[in-house]
């Protein structure tokens, strides 16, 4: 049956309205994105000229909020600089990494405003967007560009500003990712610095313009990339940095060597390197779920190798790691900031797959210089920051007072490592009571399972950070441990129940079992109490689903369908009989 002329007209009008609405929404979304990012149009750009009042107001803000890191003269040598691994920007030379302008050029006003607003993820530069008003952020930018940039001037007639053109964005697809990988590996040679899988484990001997060692970005963690503008999964951020380069670093601009299409394909490939975890807006890091779910295996024994396909039935669960800064020897700058965990178990044992990124495979060697060694970090151009926080605190070996000697100097490299901790008798502890999360306490001991890169596996009892003893037990086994392309993968196993009920944690199915994670990077001088660690998480070994769950619902559904059919048949028959009468 046809619609007729009026029906067709109404249908066309309906589709016209829908398309117009969609286009309108698309235009609003595009406009909103451009406004949110404050992106200047491509082409020649002219910076604004701040008023004396804005400059003076910006100066007051700078000396309240920014001087502690960037210093009174903007040279990046504030009081906090020596404790920061990524050094604060030295404004004097006018060298800015995150820009929309061509390589070597000064940034736009919008670029500086966005940096102040969003901060630089993966560094100590925080986002000021929720602390300073828009006017205040613009004022502090005015002060920085006029008074602290000394070697160049934004209003110099010889300074040129050319904003890049994004061209036509290529949507993400398997074809684009494949092309981008080819450019990454061959034409652009990104692999030489960033590594085969983008974890930043390529060239580790480079330095920036100030003489500090600089390591290639770990592209598998886009939330830590400095210029992601708190929008970590947006390929536009990668396109911009490939196009502009990062002034002051070995990262060049590829605008003259790669086409627009090449750069979009590379951006899409880079975005494919990471797990796209949901992002916590306040931290710009993956959201944390504090329950580590273990899956029951119906058939076969638990996996011995990281490549076992059964691991793929689980999504890697993100565990955030912090620095051990509570007890001497404190460790302010860890290099392992997260690990990914999967757990499978059968009726007898549990297996964990731990994965974490580490640029180097480290083993204890007193004669091998560490990548993050103090001598390597020092810079002639910045003598006041000759230490990093990996080896500088007020607990230095030459410190005066009762802390003297608590921190002997590191020698060479140490073992990489991973460990987990359970309360020895967690079932008996009244909720929410737990042992101290750093290796227990005198009243409540913990069961620690630790693996190190020299192939040793230890079971330890912890009664405090300074009271850890190795047990003779051999219940814990590491069946596979390998470092590949900047990533460790370790498979650790243990029986759910052991004979030692006093010191060995007994794992029960269907219970929330408190668990803590620890990691060590030997090239950062990490050993013993110098480590990365988590807070308490919970291991939940999810009970196997009873067979009746799969059988009973279909039976019930079938009975319901039969009853409905019978009721419908009876109603139809009565209706026919009534009609006949």
């Amino acid at each position: 049956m046809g619609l007729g002329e009026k029906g067709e007209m109404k249908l066309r009008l309906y589709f016209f309205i829908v398309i117009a609405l969609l286009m309108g929404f698309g235009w609003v979304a595009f406009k909103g994105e451009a406004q949110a990012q404050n992106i200047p149009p491509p082409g020649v750009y002219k910076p604004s000229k701040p008023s004396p009042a804005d400059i003076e107001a910006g100066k007051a803000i700078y000396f309240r909020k920014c001087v502690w890191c960037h210093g009174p003269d903007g040279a990046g040598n504030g009081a906090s600089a020596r404790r920061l691994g990524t050094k604060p920007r030295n404004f004097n030379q006018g060298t800015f990494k995150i820009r929309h302008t061509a390589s070597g050029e000064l940034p736009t006003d919008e670029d500086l405003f966005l940096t102040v607003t969003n901060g630089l993820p993966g560094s100590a530069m925080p986002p000021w967007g929720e602390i300073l008003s828009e006017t205040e952020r613009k004022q502090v930018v005015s002060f920085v560009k006029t008074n602290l940039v000394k070697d160049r001037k934004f209003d110099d007639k010889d300074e040129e500003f050319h904003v890049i053109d994004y061209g036509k964005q290529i949507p993400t697809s398997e074809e684009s990712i494949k092309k981008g990988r080819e450019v990454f590996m061959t034409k652009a040679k990104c692999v030489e610095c960033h590594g085969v899988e983008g974890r930043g484990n390529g060239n580790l001997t480079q330095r920036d313009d100030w003489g500090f060692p600089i390591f290639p970005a770990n592209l598998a963690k886009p939330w830590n990339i400095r210029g992601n503008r708190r929008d970590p999964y947006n390929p536009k951020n990668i396109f911009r940095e490939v196009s502009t380069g990062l002034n002051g670093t070995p990262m060049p601009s590829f605008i003259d060597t790669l086409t627009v299409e090449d750069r979009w394909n590379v951006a899409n490939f880079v975005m494919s390197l990471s797990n796209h975890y949901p992002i916590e807006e306040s931290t710009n890091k993956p959201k944390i779920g504090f329950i580590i779910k273990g899956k029951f295996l119906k058939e076969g024994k638990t996996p011995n190798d990281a490549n076992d396909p059964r691991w793929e039935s689980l999504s890697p669960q993100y565990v955030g790691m912090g620095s051990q800064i509570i007890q001497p020897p404190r460790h302010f700058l860890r290099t392992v900031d997260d690990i990914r965990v999967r757990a499978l178990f059968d009726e007898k044992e549990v297996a964990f797959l731990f994965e974490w990124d580490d640029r180097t495979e480290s083993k204890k060697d007193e004669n091998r210089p560490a990548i993050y060694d103090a001598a390597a970090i020092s810079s002639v151009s910045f003598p006041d920051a000759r230490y990093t926080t990996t080896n500088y605190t007020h607990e230095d070996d030459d410190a005066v007072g009762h802390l003297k000697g608590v921190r002997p100097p590191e020698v060479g490299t140490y073992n990489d490592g991973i460990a987990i901790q359970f309360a020895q008798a967690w079932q008996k502890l009244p909720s929410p009571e737990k042992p101290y999360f750093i290796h227990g306490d005198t009243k409540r001991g913990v069961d620690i399972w630790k693996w190190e890169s020299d192939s040793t596996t230890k079971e330890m009892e912890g009664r405090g950070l300074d009271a850890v003893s190795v047990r003779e037990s051999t219940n814990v086994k590491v069946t596979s441990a390998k470092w590949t392309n900047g990533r460790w993968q370790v498979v650790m196993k243990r029986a759910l129940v052991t004979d030692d009920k006093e010191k060995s944690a007994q794992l029960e199915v269907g219970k929330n079992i408190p668990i803590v994670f620890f990691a060590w990077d030997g090239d950062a001088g990490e050993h013993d109490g110098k480590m990365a660690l988590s807070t308490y998480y919970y291991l939940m070994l999810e009970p196997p689903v009873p067979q009746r769950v799969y059988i009973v619902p279909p039976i019930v559904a079938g009975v319901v369908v039969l009853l409905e059919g019978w009721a419908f048949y009876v109603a139809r028959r009565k209706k026919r009989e009534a009609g006949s009468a």
Side-chain angles (χ1 to χ4, degrees), residues 430-442:
S431 180
E433 186 177 330
K434 306 178 188 70
Y436 190 47
F437 75 108
I438 307 179
H439 295 352
D441 51 66
T442 54

Side-chain angles (χ1 to χ4, degrees), residues 329-348:
R330 292 174 175 85
H331 183 50
F332 286 85
L333 180 66
R334 83 281 177 200
T335 59
V336 179
D337 56 5
D338 64 72
I339 61 176
R340 280 82 66 199
V341 183
R342 287 181 256 205
L344 292 170
F345 70 102
D346 58 23
E347 294 179 350
K348 295 183 178 181

Side-chain angles (χ1 to χ4, degrees), residues 335-336 356-365 368 371-372 413-419 450-458 481-484 486-490 518-528 530:
T335 59
V336 179
W356 71 98
D357 292 354
D358 186 340
R359 287 187 172 91
T360 58
E361 179 182 7
S362 311
K363 294 184 180 180
K364 187 168 179 58
D365 185 347
R368 176 179 173 271
I371 296 296
Y372 302 96
T413 58
Y414 295 81
N415 289 327
D416 292 332
I418 192 81
K450 184 178 181 181
W451 167 88
E452 295 185 44
S453 56
D454 61 359
S455 300
T456 58
T457 304
K458 302 173 184 176
K482 60 180 180 180
W483 181 92
T484 310
R487 178 180 64 171
W488 274 110
Q489 292 178 297
V490 173
F518 305 91
W520 290 263
D521 180 355
D523 256 303
E526 296 180 0
H527 61 97
D528 300 322
K530 285 188 61 178

Side-chain angles (χ1 to χ4, degrees), residues 96 107-117 141 144-145 154:
F96 295 88
T108 68
D109 296 341
E110 292 85 351
D111 288 326
L112 294 174
F113 176 81
L114 285 171
T115 296
V116 174
T117 300
V141 166
V144 168
K145 59 183 281 194
F154 280 76

Side-chain angles (χ1 to χ4, degrees), residues 157-168:
K157 63 179 182 180
D158 293 328
E159 291 287 354
E160 295 183 345
F161 298 79
H162 299 90
V163 175
I164 64 166
D165 190 346
Y166 281 89
K168 183 179 180 181

